[in-house]
Every structure is written in structure tokens, then in C-alpha cells.
Amino acid sequence: MLNLNPYYKNVSENYLFSDIARKVNAYADQHPGEKIIRLGIGDVTLPLAPAVIGALRAAADEQSAKESFRGYAPDLGYSFLREAICENDFRPRGCGITPDEIFVSDGAKCDVGNIQELFTRDTSVAVCDPVYPVYADSNIMAGRKITYMKCTAENGFLPDPDSAGDEAGLIYLCFPNNPTGAAITKPALQAWVDRALKTGSIIIYDAAYEAYISESGIPHSIYECEGAEGCAVEIRSFSKNAGFTGLRLGYTVIPKSLERGGSSLHAMWARRHSTKYNGAPYIIQRAGEAVYSPEGRAQTKEQVAYYMRNAKLISEKLTEAGFTLTGGKNAPYIWMKTPGGLSSWDFFDLLLEKAQVVGTPGSGFGACGEGYFRLTAFGGYENTLEAVERMIGVFG
Ligand code: PLP
């Protein structure tokens, strides 16, 4: 017998960004020579930091000599990288995470999409609305039902922990948030942890944008919260803090004390990792280690500052021109209300047609995103300025 997975029919036919690319390409074909400015997809544009490039070159040289050649990487990742992660991302923040609780991977997206495999099909799942599509789609593909937790202007785009329901389940949280740019305070995140500990839920905490936090009082890791080792998995990426979207590197933290029904999630993920995954490349892990060197830290910090200058520019100029927006302070995303009550896609089409600027329709992230539009700060400064001026020219 052979049956295809019927649940694939329950996700939309295309990934949001494929739809956008198709529309933009069609417009470009019809209007050759027009300059389109893309503030849509969340991809970085600055080249890799010199410290990262140096490490890549040195590691490539090592691979060319018999004595220093390396083949398959250790299952969980090289210890030089896992130690650097602990030393820099967790110890200074008082988190008791140890290197053997870190699983290195080739990026956050696959970990975020695959983690649901550890749970049965009848596990309940709660995600924010609007949502980074992977959390919802990966669970829908596995046949799970989803509870959407509303994030609206009224609740400051922060869902109420009560909206996850009373029973134990999987809860996906992403802070600083993609797409709304919202950040969560430590007491507010602690309330989620307390609730998960009470209900037996597990929080999948996506901290891909942690490097963009600029305000104090905003936790960089969920493990800054009391008791989080007993209810949370944290997923991180090198994509946005160090420009690794093309190189590919990320990691997942699963505390050894995280257990449900007598089973260790750490042991299960380790088993899965060793069965289905052969590790991020050696040269990329060396490049990741270089991100934590003094030069690497300084250079990548500068890159983040460059993007956040764009975020400030977008926020200030569009606010001045009368647009209603949020985000952009602790995240590279600006979440904007569409002018004149336009639907998200109508605004997308109009903006492309009249200003040749591309953003992301909020409705692509969920029902609560309807009437909103996401702009990203990942463009070049001059292009970002030009895009904002064009927008103000048309809609201001
Ligand atoms: N998580 C969030 C919230 C993201 O926005 C993204 C990328 O846009 C990712 C994860 C994916 O990160 P990576 O490039 O490491 O797969």
C-alpha cells in the first residue's frame, strides 16, 4: 500500500516568499529597466565579516592537507563551537546551559521545522498569529491542529499566555518577533515559563533575532527565566547576527533536565540528529567560532548596527509622514498598518506598481496580519532611504 501524506493538502500551495518572488518577477519582466527596491524578504545584504572570511579560508586550507583534513563532524557539532556558544551566548547572561546541551545544525529553519517530530500527532500546538510560517506549516504537514494566539495592536502584539489553552502542548514563541518586531520583557516571558511549568507544556523559543535587542530589560535567552530548563527548547541562528544565510549555521539548545513522561527530549533529539543528520560543515563551524572572536564580535556588531540604522530611518520617516507602525527597536522588522484600510495584498500590489518597492503582506503571516505590511531593515542604506521617500511620495 502507498498513500501520500494527506496533510500536505492543508498547507497553502506555495511558501509566502515564493508567491512574492513570482509577482515581483512578473512585474520586472513587464517593466524592464525600472529599479525595484526589495524590503520584503528577510535576507541580509552585507558581505561576511573579515574575521569570518579569514576563518573560512584557514579552515579550507586545513582541509587541503592530509594531517589537518576533517571528515564527518561529531554528531552534536565540534566542541570548539559549542564551547564558544556557551561562553558567549549563555554564561554572561547567567544561564546554566552546558556545551553538551547544544546541537549545532545548518540553520534554525530546519530545527524549527523538525523539532515537532519528537511529539505525537495528537499533541496540541499553539502559535502566534501572525507567525513565522514554518512553526505552523511543519505541524500542519504532520497532521496537527493548531491554536492561533492573537497578536494585535490591542495587546501590543504580545499574546496572552492564557491563549495557549490549559492543557499541555507545544507552544512556539519568537522574540524579538518576526514579523511584528515585538520584543518581550523578562517578567512577561517568565509568565510563559511559569505557565508551561504548570501545564506541562514545552516552549519552542526562537531567538533568531536576539542580536538586535537594543533595550534593557529584554531577555536574550529564555534560559534567563527561572525554571526554563524544565520547559523550553531554544533555537538560534547565525543568519541574522553574522550574515550566514548563505553559509548556513544554527543551533538548538535542549537542556538535559527537559523530560516528559520519563523520556529525555535531549536523548531523543540526539538520536534523531545522529540518525538523520551528518552535521554542519567543518569550515562553516570554524567560521561560526570566528563570530565569537574579539574581531568577529566587533565586526558583526557593526553589521547589526548598520541594519538597525535602516530600521530607525524607516520608522522615523514613515511615522513623520503619518504611517502607523511598530517594531524596528529590538528587531530588524517594521510592522506597518496599511494606509487607507487597504488589504495587505492590495497594498503590496499598489506599492509595487506605484513605487516599485517590495514588502511582505502581513496577511501572509496569518489572519491577524491582514491590514498590515512588513518592511525589513536588511537593505542598503541608500536604497532604504530611496524606498521610504518613494513610499512617502505615493502614500504620504
Ligand atoms: N526563525 C525565524 C524567526 C526567522 O525569521 C528565520 C529566517 O528568516 C529563521 C528562523 C531561519 O533561520 P536560518 O537562516 O538559520 O534557517
Side-chain angles (χ1 to χ4, degrees), residues 42 107-110 112 132 135 174 178 206 208-209 237-240 245 248-249 333:
K109 189 175 184 177
C110 56
V112 155
Y132 174 59
Y135 315 148
C174 170
N178 176 14
D206 185 339
Y209 297 98
S237 167
F238 284 72
S239 285
K240 306 300 162 66
T245 54
R248 310 302 306 141
L249 192 66
Y333 295 115

Side-chain angles (χ1 to χ4, degrees), residues 122-125 164-171 195-196 198-202 260:
D122 56 5
T123 295
S124 53
V125 175
D166 285 332
E167 59 173 312
L170 262 187
I171 300 169
R195 196 163 202 294
K198 195 164 139 208
T199 59
S201 292
I202 287 179
R260 289 293 180 273

Side-chain angles (χ1 to χ4, degrees), residues 33-307:
E34 281 190 10
K35 179 182 170 190
I36 297 172
I37 303 180
R38 291 172 167 80
L39 301 183
I41 196 159
D43 199 355
V44 293
T45 51
L46 291 175
L48 290 161
V52 170
I53 294 292
L56 280 172
R57 289 207 173 106
D61 284 345
E62 280 184 66
Q63 292 292 66
S64 71
K66 198 167 190 307
E67 311 72 56
S68 49
F69 169 79
R70 312 247 193 160
Y72 288 124
D75 280 350
L76 271 61
Y78 284 101
S79 59
F80 61 75
L81 178 58
R82 291 190 289 135
E83 269 156 27
I85 288 169
C86 260
E87 205 55 56
N88 290 278
D89 290 347
F90 296 106
R91 262 175 223 148
R93 301 197 179 281
C95 310
I97 297 302
T98 53
D100 56 359
E101 294 176 315
I102 291 167
F103 297 79
V104 174
S105 74
D106 61 2
K109 189 175 184 177
C110 56
D111 287 353
V112 155
N114 289 330
I115 195 82
Q116 46 77 31
E117 276 188 29
L118 302 190
F119 304 90
T120 56
R121 194 165 73 75
D122 56 5
T123 295
S124 53
V125 175
V127 303
C128 291
D129 175 6
V131 65
Y132 174 59
V134 183
Y135 315 148
D137 287 356
S138 58
N139 278 289
I140 293 170
M141 285 167 170
R144 296 192 189 90
K145 301 250 174 334
I146 312 265
T147 299
Y148 290 92
M149 306 182 288
K150 286 190 166 62
C151 303
T152 60
E154 288 69 42
N155 61 18
F157 303 100
L158 295 172
D160 189 315
D162 286 345
S163 57
D166 285 332
E167 59 173 312
L170 262 187
I171 300 169
Y172 288 76
L173 294 178
C174 170
F175 291 110
N177 189 262
N178 176 14
T180 66
I184 194 164
T185 62
K186 193 162 164 193
L189 187 57
Q190 184 67 56
W192 279 98
V193 168
D194 292 345
R195 196 163 202 294
L197 289 170
K198 195 164 139 208
T199 59
S201 292
I202 287 179
I203 297 172
I204 308 297
Y205 193 72
D206 185 339
Y209 297 98
E210 164 276 332
Y212 289 82
I213 294 172
S214 69
E215 294 179 316
S216 59
I218 308 289
H220 288 243
S221 164
I222 195 164
Y223 303 115
E224 289 178 46
C225 295
E226 194 100 25
E229 286 88 354
C231 67
V233 168
E234 182 163 307
I235 298 178
R236 296 249 194 137
S237 167
F238 284 72
S239 285
K240 306 300 162 66
N241 64 331
F244 277 47
T245 54
L247 290 187
R248 310 302 306 141
L249 192 66
Y251 67 86
T252 287
V253 183
I254 307 189
K256 288 197 160 165
S257 53
L258 185 53
E259 293 186 353
R260 289 293 180 273
S263 293
S264 152
L265 266 83
H266 184 281
M268 287 172 76
W269 191 246
R271 188 70 177 84
R272 185 201 177 276
H273 224 58
S274 56
T275 304
K276 297 194 179 186
Y277 187 61
N278 257 340
Y282 172 68
I283 61 171
I284 309 295
Q285 294 197 44
R286 279 291 185 202
E289 180 192 27
V291 170
Y292 296 109
S293 67
E295 310 76 48
R297 283 164 65 103
Q299 291 161 3
T300 53
K301 203 168 158 204
E302 237 173 72
Q303 296 181 337
V304 168
Y306 177 90
Y307 294 133

